Amino acid sequence: MAILVVLIGHFHNAYDLKPIFSGVARWVFQRLLLENEHYGVVTFFTISGYLITSKALARFGSFDHTKSRNFYVYRFARIIPCLVLFVFAVGIGYLLHVPRITITSEDVPALLVVLSAFLFFHNLLMVVYGWFSYCMNILWSISIEEAFYLLYPPIVLLLGRAPRVAFFCGVLIVAGPIARYSAETLAEQYYGYLSCFDAIAVGVLTAILARGLHPSKTVAVCLRILGTVMLVGASLIKTQDTMIFGPTIIAMGTSALLFTARDKEQERPIILRTFLSFGRCSYELYLFHILVLAAMRDIAGPGLVTSQWRPFWLIAFLLLSITVAALLSRYFSEPMNRRLRHQLLKPIVCESNLRG
């Protein structure tokens, strides 16, 4: 659902969808779906912190046994292949002078933009220069996530025990609203490291707590209701003033849902398993949907697609984006992911076998 909110929000930014709604429906859908892409990314941050920590604890047993090399290999294998392909595709579009597929602007050197994509400081370029590239600027969230995970192994190894890691997460959660309150610009409030680290920290903390606590059915239902109310409520009352605590509330609402979302896949209804398959390729969706949208805008811009046809254009955009992402996931990113992990971790396996 989070990735759909992001996709619909970006489509709405290009093709105004408000005219298809009226009255209360316009107000509700505008806040929940049409203009909620930032909170959708905040939800992603929380899910990411939860998944990465859950997998790390399952893989290594405890924080003080985290193997840094293994951790970085897993992140590298998952993130870099698609990121390289995305930057390459944008670069080709830029060289061919395809409208809206750009890398840079007059104020930002192209080399700096490319470096920021792979050294994870593109969000800082957003803070300094604002929105300067229609396609590349979505990398701000990747930069924040991967900067967090570059620091992850040394910090958890230094802290060692789960209670200490949980306390550190608490510090980041408190620092988030403070960073957003003290931000000098809106860009810093939205795209600063500390302005977003709290959402990932909530996910990490949720994974720690979920490992030792198993809520009863009654508690699980209450948490789901609470999480839904927090997500919907924070989205509906979203204003510039509520941006200080809004992302933290969204993260905690997501946390409440994640805390109860540990059912076995086969126990889920078919429709939820379908959404789960979309979720597995959400990284590919996030990266490449913007290229699909840029191409569709070049084929038929907002001036050519009237309001009554825009819902159908939206459906075409979603189907095309999902198809591209699914194909990339199946035939490129997942094979590359497996190959890179096998090749980069093979020396470790061989060494352990020799020692054994």
Side-chain angles (χ1 to χ4, degrees), residues 299-316:
I299 294 170
L304 294 177
V305 183
T306 57
S307 58
Q308 62 264 34
W309 286 102
R310 288 179 185 178
F312 301 101
W313 202 233
L314 169 63
I315 292 172

Side-chain angles (χ1 to χ4, degrees), residues 41-224:
V41 174
V42 172
T43 302
F44 265 117
F45 285 154
T46 308
I47 295 171
S48 173
Y50 174 81
L51 289 177
I52 295 300
T53 301
S54 298
K55 291 181 178 180
L57 289 173
R59 189 174 293 129
F60 305 122
S62 62
F63 287 114
D64 54 350
H65 288 90
T66 299
K67 293 180 174 61
S68 298
R69 179 178 174 180
N70 293 40
F71 183 90
Y72 289 133
V73 165
Y74 283 117
R75 294 310 301 157
F76 179 88
R78 179 67 181 111
I79 296 299
I80 294 301
C82 271
L83 186 58
V84 170
L85 182 62
F86 172 78
V87 174
F88 178 78
V90 174
I92 293 297
Y94 174 67
L95 293 176
L96 295 177
H97 303 288
V98 177
R100 294 184 184 86
I101 299 183
T102 61
I103 287 183
T104 183
S105 69
E106 294 180 358
D107 300 324
V108 193
L111 178 60
L112 184 62
V113 177
V114 173
L115 287 175
S116 74
F118 296 108
L119 298 180
F120 310 124
F121 63 88
H122 194 87
N123 59 312
L124 297 183
L125 295 187
M126 299 277 292
V127 171
V128 175
Y129 298 104
W131 192 270
F132 60 86
S133 170
Y134 184 75
C135 292
M136 291 291 287
N137 281 162
I138 66 164
L139 295 180
W140 71 270
S141 62
I142 307 296
S143 293
I144 287 172
E145 250 190 307
E146 297 315 310
F148 185 95
Y149 294 128
L150 282 174
L151 299 172
Y152 189 98
I155 288 177
V156 299
L157 283 171
L158 178 65
L159 295 175
R161 299 173 60 187
R164 295 174 184 172
V165 176
F167 178 80
F168 183 74
C169 288
V171 172
L172 289 178
I173 293 168
V174 172
I178 295 174
R180 290 189 288 271
Y181 176 78
S182 58
E184 296 182 358
T185 64
L186 289 179
E188 186 179 354
Q189 188 179 61
Y190 277 82
Y191 309 126
Y193 287 116
L194 282 179
S195 296
C196 299
F197 276 177
D198 60 328
I200 307 177
V202 168
V204 175
L205 183 59
T206 304
I208 295 172
L209 295 176
R211 223 183 166 212
L213 298 176
H214 300 280
S216 64
K217 289 186 177 180
T218 302
V219 173
V221 170
C222 292
L223 284 173
R224 287 169 184 163

Side-chain angles (χ1 to χ4, degrees), residues 197-255:
F197 276 177
D198 60 328
I200 307 177
V202 168
V204 175
L205 183 59
T206 304
I208 295 172
L209 295 176
R211 223 183 166 212
L213 298 176
H214 300 280
S216 64
K217 289 186 177 180
T218 302
V219 173
V221 170
C222 292
L223 284 173
R224 287 169 184 163
I225 294 173
L226 176 63
T228 303
V229 168
M230 293 175 77
L231 289 171
V232 173
S235 298
L236 289 178
I237 63 173
K238 179 169 73 259
T239 64
Q240 197 52 56
D241 293 332
T242 61
M243 263 302 295
I244 303 225
F245 291 102
T248 305
I249 296 173
I250 290 291
M252 290 184 173
T254 304
S255 169

Side-chain angles (χ1 to χ4, degrees), residues 308-324:
Q308 62 264 34
W309 286 102
R310 288 179 185 178
F312 301 101
W313 202 233
L314 169 63
I315 292 172
F317 162 67
L318 293 176
L319 291 176
L320 188 55
S321 297
I322 290 169
T323 301
V324 170

